[in-house]
Amino acid sequence: MVNEPTSLGRTALCFASFGGFQGIVVFLCRSNANVSLHCNNGWTCLMSAALQGHLEVSEELVANKIDVNAKTTSGLTALMIASENGHIHLLKYLLSKNADINAKTVGASGLPYRKVIIKNVDGPGVHFSLLNSHVSVSTPHKIKAHIGTVGTCIIGDTGS
């Protein structure tokens, strides 16, 4: 019963992960909840936690061997989701757990492209954001993101 999905494929573990209920996530994992199950759109519990920025829940899921590089049906990963929602702490954690920064997703055109990691070098600390890009950009370069001005950035490989 612990792995029984809704009509959309969501399990109790998925709901607990999305809500940030770490105690329930721990209980469900100890009750043999399958961390590898995907919703109908390919989302995992880790992606749900990444969307909301729940670091402790994400750590519990990773400790229970969830695939940090699993992809949705459109190719999104938990790393992309955490970054696009500004959850820097979770982005750093996922990178420390070998999340693939070179993962590709599918754009609106249906063609594959690589999400680009942007590293802000203007100011204290290190900040990351993901942007969709189809063009190569010289570095350093001023760039404007959907969340506002990022500053002088070092741009990773944009893929082909």
Side-chain angles (χ1 to χ4, degrees), residues 71-123:
K71 292 183 176 187
T72 65
T73 53
S74 63
L76 290 174
T77 65
L79 180 68
M80 293 173 188
I81 294 165
S83 183
E84 288 175 348
N85 288 281
H87 303 303
I88 306 305
H89 58 292
L90 190 52
L91 177 63
K92 290 178 182 179
Y93 172 73
L94 291 171
L95 288 171
S96 78
K97 296 300 178 183
N98 299 316
D100 183 6
I101 64 172
N102 295 311
K104 293 184 180 184
T105 187
V106 177
S109 65
L111 299 173
Y113 63 92
R114 187 172 298 145
K115 294 281 192 163
V116 180
I117 292 274
I118 307 292
K119 178 180 175 186
N120 185 351
V121 294
D122 278 354

Side-chain angles (χ1 to χ4, degrees), residues 32 48 51 81 88 112 114 127 135 160:
N32 297 318
S48 295
L51 179 67
I81 294 165
I88 306 305
R114 187 172 298 145
H127 304 283
V135 297
S160 50

Side-chain angles (χ1 to χ4, degrees), residues 2-147:
V2 73
N3 292 315
E4 189 68 29
T6 66
S7 62
L8 296 176
R10 296 182 183 122
T11 62
L13 184 59
C14 187
F15 284 111
S17 299
F18 179 82
F21 302 113
Q22 182 184 8
I24 295 172
V25 169
V26 169
F27 172 78
L28 290 169
C29 287
R30 289 183 183 164
S31 300
N32 297 318
N34 185 345
V35 297
S36 299
L37 292 177
H38 291 245
C39 297
N40 294 353
N41 61 0
W43 278 60
T44 65
C45 297
L46 182 60
M47 292 170 188
S48 295
L51 179 67
Q52 299 299 320
H54 299 307
L55 177 61
E56 294 80 13
V57 168
S58 299
E59 290 170 336
E60 183 65 29
L61 294 169
V62 170
N64 280 277
K65 308 293 187 224
I66 198 165
D67 180 4
V68 297
N69 292 308
K71 292 183 176 187
T72 65
T73 53
S74 63
L76 290 174
T77 65
L79 180 68
M80 293 173 188
I81 294 165
S83 183
E84 288 175 348
N85 288 281
H87 303 303
I88 306 305
H89 58 292
L90 190 52
L91 177 63
K92 290 178 182 179
Y93 172 73
L94 291 171
L95 288 171
S96 78
K97 296 300 178 183
N98 299 316
D100 183 6
I101 64 172
N102 295 311
K104 293 184 180 184
T105 187
V106 177
S109 65
L111 299 173
Y113 63 92
R114 187 172 298 145
K115 294 281 192 163
V116 180
I117 292 274
I118 307 292
K119 178 180 175 186
N120 185 351
V121 294
D122 278 354
V126 176
H127 304 283
F128 295 89
S129 180
L130 285 174
L131 295 176
N132 300 337
S133 180
H134 297 279
V135 297
S136 57
V137 183
S138 61
T139 58
H141 185 79
K142 292 285 184 184
I143 191 164
K144 191 143 180 122
H146 67 281
I147 55 172

